[in-house]
C-alpha cells in the first residue's frame, strides 16, 4: 500500500485511513443518531436500553452515510442518481404533474434497499427548471406500479445544451419522508448531492430521446459514478 508522503507518524496515518474508510454522515441523520444516543445515555443503568440505543445510533449513522464519489469527467453522460439495483428499464410517460408532453421516454429505475446509501445525486450537470412533489401511496418500491402510485418528487435538470433529464425520488414501503434540497434556478454539478429518502425507496431517471443506454437490468449502480446512458 502506498503511503501518503504528508503523513509520517503512525497515529496520523491511522487516523487518515479511518477517515477514508468510514464515510461521513449526511446532516439529516444527526437528529436520529442524537436521539438514539440520548436513549442510551438515559438508560445507561439498564443494559438492554443502553445497548438498544447504541445499536440504533450505529444503524442510523450507517443508513445516513454520505460516501464521497468521483463523477466521470467526459461530457454527455448521465450518471446514476442513487445507489441500488437497476430493477426496471422501460419506456414511460414522465410524471403528469410536470406538465410535459405525453411522449414516452426511456426510464431507468433503481431500487434502494435499507442497506444502500440513500443520498441522491444529480444525474447530470445543469439548471434545475422544475421541482414537483406529489403525495401518494407507499407500495413496495420494487413494484412497477410504484412509479405511478407512490409518493414522489420530480426534479427536471436542463443541461447548457438544452437537454432535459428527469430524476424522480419515490417513497417505498418503509420510506415515509422524501427530502429534496434542489430548487428551481439552482445550478447542479453532475454527481452533486441534492436530497435523500429515508428507509427504502426508488429513483427513476427519464432519459431524452436518442440516449444510448449503458446499464442493464439486475446491475448494481453507484450514485454519481455509474454511467446510466450517453446522450445523443
Amino acid at each position: 500500500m502506498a503511503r501518503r508522503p504528508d503523513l509520517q507518524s503512525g497515529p496520523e496515518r491511522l487516523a487518515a485511513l479511518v477517515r477514508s474508510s468510514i464515510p461521513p454522515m449526511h446532516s439529516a441523520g444527526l437528529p436520529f443518531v442524537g436521539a438514539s444516543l440520548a436513549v442510551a445515555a438515559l438508560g445507561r443503568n439498564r443494559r438492554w436500553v443502553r445497548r438498544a440505543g447504541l445499536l440504533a445510533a450505529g444503524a442510523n449513522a450507517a443508513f445516513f452515510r454520505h460516501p464521497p464519489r468521483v463523477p466521470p469527467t467526459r461530457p454527455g453522460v448521465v450518471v446514476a442518481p442513487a445507489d441500488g439495483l437497476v430493477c426496471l428499464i422501460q419506456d414511460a410517460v414522465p410524471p403528469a404533474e410536470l406538465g410535459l408532453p405525453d411522449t414516452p421516454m426511456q426510464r431507468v429505475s433503481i431500487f434502494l434497499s435499507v442497506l444502500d446509501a440513500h443520498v441522491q445525486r444529480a444525474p447530470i450537470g445543469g439548471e434545475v427548471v422544475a421541482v414537483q412533489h406529489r403525495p401518494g401511496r407507499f407500495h413496495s418500491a420494487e413494484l412497477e406500479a410504484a412509479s405511478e402510485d407512490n409518493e414522489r418528487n420530480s426534479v427536471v435538470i436542463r443541461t447548457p445544451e438544452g437537454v432535459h433529464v428527469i430524476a424522480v425520488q419515490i417513497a417505498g414501503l418503509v420510506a415515509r419522508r422524501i427530502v429534496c434540497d434542489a430548487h428551481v434556478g439552482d445550478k447542479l454539478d453532475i454527481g452533486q448531492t441534492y436530497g435523500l429518502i429515508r428507509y427504502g425507496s426508488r429513483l427513476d431517471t427519464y432519459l431524452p430521446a436518442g440516449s444510448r443506454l449503458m446499464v442493464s437490468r439486475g446491475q448494481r449502480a453507484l450514485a454519481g459514478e455509474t454511467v446510466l446512458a450517453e446522450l445523443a
Side-chain angles (χ1 to χ4, degrees), residues 125-149:
E127 181 183 0
V128 177
V129 295
V131 178
Q132 289 289 336
H133 178 267
R134 197 211 69 170
R137 300 180 178 179
F138 298 97
H139 297 309
S140 174
E142 292 179 281
L143 301 176
E144 182 178 345
S147 293
E148 182 63 30
D149 298 337

Side-chain angles (χ1 to χ4, degrees), residues 172-187:
L173 184 64
V174 182
R176 300 285 162 160
R177 178 78 169 111
I178 295 175
V179 177
C180 179
D181 297 322
H183 302 90
V184 173
D186 288 351
K187 301 294 195 303

Side-chain angles (χ1 to χ4, degrees), residues 68-80:
R69 297 289 163 78
V70 181
T73 57
R74 70 181 189 272
V77 297
V78 180
V79 297

Side-chain angles (χ1 to χ4, degrees), residues 95-206:
E97 60 270 20
L98 291 173
L100 299 175
D102 292 337
T103 303
M105 301 175 67
Q106 195 167 45
R107 182 177 71 194
V108 179
S109 300
I110 298 175
F111 173 72
L112 296 78
S113 75
V114 294
L115 299 180
D116 289 307
H118 271 61
V119 293
Q120 277 84 62
R121 302 173 188 265
I124 201 163
E127 181 183 0
V128 177
V129 295
V131 178
Q132 289 289 336
H133 178 267
R134 197 211 69 170
R137 300 180 178 179
F138 298 97
H139 297 309
S140 174
E142 292 179 281
L143 301 176
E144 182 178 345
S147 293
E148 182 63 30
D149 298 337
N150 284 21
E151 179 172 340
R152 65 191 181 214
N153 187 80
S154 304
V155 175
V156 182
I157 302 173
R158 182 177 60 206
T159 70
E161 295 75 27
V163 176
H164 292 80
V165 174
I166 307 169
V168 184
Q169 300 166 288
I170 300 173
L173 184 64
V174 182
R176 300 285 162 160
R177 178 78 169 111
I178 295 175
V179 177
C180 179
D181 297 322
H183 302 90
V184 173
D186 288 351
K187 301 294 195 303
L188 298 178
D189 296 325
I190 185 171
Q192 180 179 339
T193 301
Y194 75 90
L196 60 86
I197 312 176
R198 291 208 292 260
Y199 307 117
S201 49
R202 172 167 155 182
L203 258 291
D204 285 353
T205 305
Y206 291 81

